[in-house]
Amino acid sequence: MELYSIFPVAIGKDVINLNATYKSLLINNIQEQEEKNKSNTDRVWTGDENNNEYLHNENLFNSLYVQINEKIQSYITSLGYNPQDFSIYFQRSWATVSRISQKILLHSHQQSHLSFAYYLSLPEGSGNLEFNNDRSYMEIINGSFDKPELLLKLTKNLNSFNAPNVTIGIKEDEIYIFPSKLKHKTNPGSNTMPRISLSSDIVITLNENFKNTEAGMADISNWKKF
C-alpha cells in the first residue's frame, strides 16, 4: 500500500559561524552571568530564570541576533509566508548552561509563535534535542504513543508515522527553528564542560499596512495599554 505523508512538522536547520574572538566573548559573558546569578540547585542554569532574559537588547549580542533574525525570515519564507508582511519581535532571549547528567524537561512556549535553539558551545557528550509528537492523528490506539512499552508491542518498528518523539543529533554552531507550541526537551549528557545554547520567544505581528483581516496579530502601533 502507498502512503502519503501530509501535514508534516517543519523544523528549520541552519548554521551560524561566528568569528572565534566574538564567539569567545559571548561564551565568557554567559559564564559570567551564570556565576553571578547562580542558583543553589543542580538544575540546568537558564538565563530566563536568573535575571538574564533579554540578551537581544545587549550590545554584545546584537551582531548574533541580526544573523538569527535572517534565519527566522528564511524559515518563514520556506513555509510560504511573505516576510515583508510581518514584523519579527524577540520577546525574551536567554542562554542555557548545562553540565553532566543535567537536562531540560519536556515543555513548550505557548506565549510565542516561534522558538529556536542555537548551540554556541557543544562539548563532546552533550545531550541532544528531542521533539515530542503529542498531537498525532496517527495514534489509532488511544494512549499508545504515551506508553513506549505498549507502542513497541503493537508495532513492528518505529517510523515517522508512529514515533512518539524524535531526537536530533545536534552540532555546535547549528540553529534549529520551530513552532513554539511544539513540545521539546534536552536529553542529559556526559559532558563535563559547559554546554551552552541560546533560545528566544519570538512573536510575529502583521505590518501596519496589512489590514482588513481577522487572522494574525495586529501591528503594535495600534495597541493601547490601559
Side-chain angles (χ1 to χ4, degrees):
M1 177 182 291
E2 183 178 2
L3 297 177
Y4 286 91
S5 180
I6 62 174
F7 306 133
V9 177
I11 309 295
K13 173 187 174 183
D14 213 324
V15 175
I16 299 177
N17 290 310
L18 302 178
N19 173 277
T21 301
Y22 178 54
K23 186 174 184 178
S24 180
L25 288 172
L26 297 183
I27 292 173
N28 289 339
N29 178 276
I30 292 168
Q31 291 181 320
E32 288 172 3
Q33 289 295 331
E34 180 197 17
E35 187 62 31
K36 179 181 178 181
N37 298 292
K38 185 176 291 186
S39 58
N40 296 320
T41 70
D42 292 327
R43 294 175 53 200
V44 173
W45 184 88
T46 60
D48 58 331
E49 295 180 339
N50 290 280
N51 302 312
N52 195 221
E53 60 182 334
Y54 301 111
L55 293 182
H56 57 271
N57 287 333
E58 297 187 17
N59 290 335
L60 178 62
F61 287 83
N62 186 68
S63 177
L64 171 60
Y65 277 90
V66 167
Q67 294 185 66
I68 290 174
N69 180 62
E70 293 174 354
K71 304 301 183 185
I72 297 295
Q73 292 198 43
S74 177
Y75 176 74
I76 292 173
T77 301
S78 297
L79 296 180
Y81 292 107
N82 181 5
Q84 302 304 315
D85 294 332
F86 304 97
S87 293
I88 298 172
Y89 290 93
F90 289 76
Q91 284 183 313
R92 297 185 305 162
S93 301
W94 65 93
T96 298
V97 183
S98 60
R99 293 174 174 81
I100 187 169
S101 300
Q102 294 180 334
K103 62 183 179 181
I104 297 178
L105 300 177
L106 189 67
H107 67 286
S108 61
H109 301 255
Q110 296 293 334
Q111 69 274 19
S112 58
H113 297 138
L114 291 177
S115 298
F116 71 81
Y118 171 61
Y119 297 96
L120 186 64
S121 178
L122 204 69
E124 184 176 353
S126 293
N128 285 315
L129 174 64
E130 181 178 309
F131 292 102
N132 181 264
N133 180 13
D134 68 334
R135 302 183 180 183
S136 177
Y137 293 103
M138 301 310 301
E139 189 184 47
I140 298 171
I141 299 176
N142 290 339
S144 61
F145 283 14
D146 296 328
K147 300 177 180 179
E149 66 280 1
L150 175 59
L151 184 61
L152 290 173
K153 288 181 181 180
L154 293 171
T155 59
K156 293 181 179 180
N157 62 285
L158 293 178
N159 55 47
S160 60
F161 295 109
N162 62 33
N165 50 65
V166 173
T167 299
I168 305 293
I170 55 179
K171 297 180 181 179
E172 188 167 301
D173 300 320
E174 288 183 339
I175 182 171
Y176 289 85
I177 304 167
F178 51 92
S180 296
K181 57 190 173 185
L182 181 62
K183 289 187 176 181
H184 54 284
K185 67 178 183 177
T186 295
N187 293 323
S190 58
N191 56 299
T192 54
M193 298 298 292
R195 171 194 187 277
I196 302 176
S197 63
L198 275 67
S199 298
S200 288
D201 288 334
I202 298 170
V203 167
I204 310 294
T205 68
L206 298 174
N207 285 337
E208 189 176 10
N209 60 355
F210 200 99
K211 300 180 182 298
N212 302 319
T213 178
E214 293 182 357
M217 187 175 291
D219 184 84
I220 63 172
S221 63
N222 293 310
W223 297 15
K224 183 177 181 178
K225 182 178 181 180
F226 283 87

